[in-house]
């Protein structure tokens, strides 16, 4: 695999993002490899999985590969968007997925980490959700991932400001399970995974699926769904959306006009 590395030991599968030349940007190719690795883990009865960047990484992931986002007029985060598909794969994976985080987590990578079952991070890690900086309208299922992982006020601050939030603050809010120094984080994460692997995999799989169903049990009328889609369409058909993508490509600050 070109973009990730995988290993299995003691019923624990590890996926290491290894696309440092692009700061582990969540390109379609990288995401496809992660999803394939999860399927291989399931076929080999892995009882816990660890998702991480290479040790000592300054950036865990830079988030969505912006140059793969569609131009204005097309939904940038539709049902078949690769990140959406990977989030569903993690949620459906029958064993717990532990996010081992070092460095910065940017954009859509925040949702990827929040979709994992547990998060272990170094004290220096930061999280910055940046759709507003790019003019990208987040979809409803993505926002639900944030709301299930955080409180509404924290989700709003992350999404509205786009500013980095420290792992220490998120740990105090109960969003990150453990803060562990970089020198100990791999051993700590593997110890947690070993403890999980010793328990009943069937019981854990069933509880994980029950929790997924319960967390997604948000009543939404057809009218409300259409309203959400209509609101998002206004954004991805706007001048601001085109400006955000163009400014990122041109490495300059965007000038938003609210139109």
């Amino acid at each position: 695999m070109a973009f990730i590395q995988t290993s299995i030991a003691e019923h624990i599968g590890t996926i290491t993002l290894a696309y440092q030349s692009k700061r582990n940007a969540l390109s379609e190719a990288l995401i496809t490899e992660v999803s394939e690795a999860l399927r291989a883990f399931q076929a080999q009865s892995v009882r816990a999985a660890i998702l991480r960047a290479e040790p000592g990484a300054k950036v865990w992931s830079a988030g969505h590969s912006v140059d793969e986002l569609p131009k204005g007029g097309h939904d940038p985060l539709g049902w078949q968007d690769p990140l959406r598909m990977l989030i569903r794969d993690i949620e459906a994976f029958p064993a717990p997925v532990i996010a081992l985080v070092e460095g910065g987590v940017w954009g859509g990578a925040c949702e990827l980490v929040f979709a994992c079952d547990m998060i272990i991070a170094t004290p220096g890690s930061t999280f910055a959700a940046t759709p507003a900086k790019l003019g990208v309208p987040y979809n409803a299922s993505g926002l639900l991932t944030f709301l299930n992982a955080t409180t509404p006020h924290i989700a709003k601050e992350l999404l509205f400001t786009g500013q980095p939030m420290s792992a220490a603050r998120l740990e105090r809010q109960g969003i990150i399970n453990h803060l562990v120094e970089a020198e100990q984080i791999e051993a700590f994460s593997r110890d947690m995974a070993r403890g999980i692997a010793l328990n009943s995999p069937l019981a854990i799989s069933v509880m994980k699926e029950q929790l997924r169903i319960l967390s997604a049990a948000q009543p939404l009328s057809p009218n409300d769904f259409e309203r959400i889609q209509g609101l998002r369409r206004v954004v991805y058909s706007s001048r601001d959306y085109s400006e955000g993508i163009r400014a990122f490509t041109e490495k300059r600050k965007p000038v938003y006009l609210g139109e």
Side-chain angles (χ1 to χ4, degrees), residues 58-128:
K58 300 299 182 185
V59 177
W60 191 86
S61 170
H64 250 100
S65 188
V66 176
D67 56 3
E68 293 185 2
L69 292 176
K71 305 302 181 186
H74 299 277
D75 190 342
L77 300 173
W79 178 258
Q80 294 298 322
D81 173 70
L83 179 58
R84 291 258 50 77
M85 296 172 73
L86 177 56
I87 297 297
R88 294 196 294 270
D89 287 343
I90 287 174
E91 292 172 342
F93 186 67
V97 179
I98 300 169
L100 187 165
V101 178
E102 295 181 80
V105 182
W106 304 347
C110 288
E111 185 189 353
L112 177 57
V113 171
F114 291 161
C116 292
D117 299 293
M118 285 153 284
I119 306 170
I120 301 170
T122 60
S125 300
T126 59
F127 293 74

Side-chain angles (χ1 to χ4, degrees), residues 3-5 14-20 23-26 30 34 50-62 98-105 109 112-113 120 122 125 182 185-186 189:
F3 303 103
I4 68 171
Q5 300 168 358
T14 301
I15 298 172
T16 302
L17 306 180
Y19 192 24
Q20 282 299 318
R23 295 177 174 175
N24 290 332
L26 300 175
L30 181 146
V34 175
I50 296 172
L51 179 61
R52 63 170 305 166
E54 292 177 316
K58 300 299 182 185
V59 177
W60 191 86
S61 170
I98 300 169
L100 187 165
V101 178
E102 295 181 80
V105 182
L112 177 57
V113 171
I120 301 170
T122 60
S125 300
I185 192 168
E186 182 171 355
S189 300

Side-chain angles (χ1 to χ4, degrees), residues 207-225:
M207 287 190 289
K208 176 172 174 174
E209 179 63 5
Q210 289 179 93
L211 289 166
R212 184 196 65 78
I213 292 169
L214 291 168
S215 66
Q218 305 288 330
L220 189 68
S221 71
N223 284 341
D224 285 340
F225 177 79

Side-chain angles (χ1 to χ4, degrees), residues 240-251:
D240 276 3
Y241 175 77
S242 297
E243 166 65 6
I245 301 301
R246 187 165 53 248
F248 181 89
T249 302
E250 296 172 358
K251 295 181 169 55

Side-chain angles (χ1 to χ4, degrees), residues 95-171:
V97 179
I98 300 169
L100 187 165
V101 178
E102 295 181 80
V105 182
W106 304 347
C110 288
E111 185 189 353
L112 177 57
V113 171
F114 291 161
C116 292
D117 299 293
M118 285 153 284
I119 306 170
I120 301 170
T122 60
S125 300
T126 59
F127 293 74
T130 54
K133 286 184 173 290
L134 291 171
V136 173
Y138 229 95
N139 51 28
S141 54
L143 293 178
L144 185 59
T145 303
F146 276 82
L147 288 175
N148 283 335
T150 73
T151 66
H153 288 117
I154 295 295
K156 289 175 183 178
E157 183 176 342
L158 281 165
L159 291 162
F160 296 171
T161 69
Q163 295 301 310
M165 192 172 290
S166 71
R169 183 176 176 196
L170 293 178
E171 191 265 348

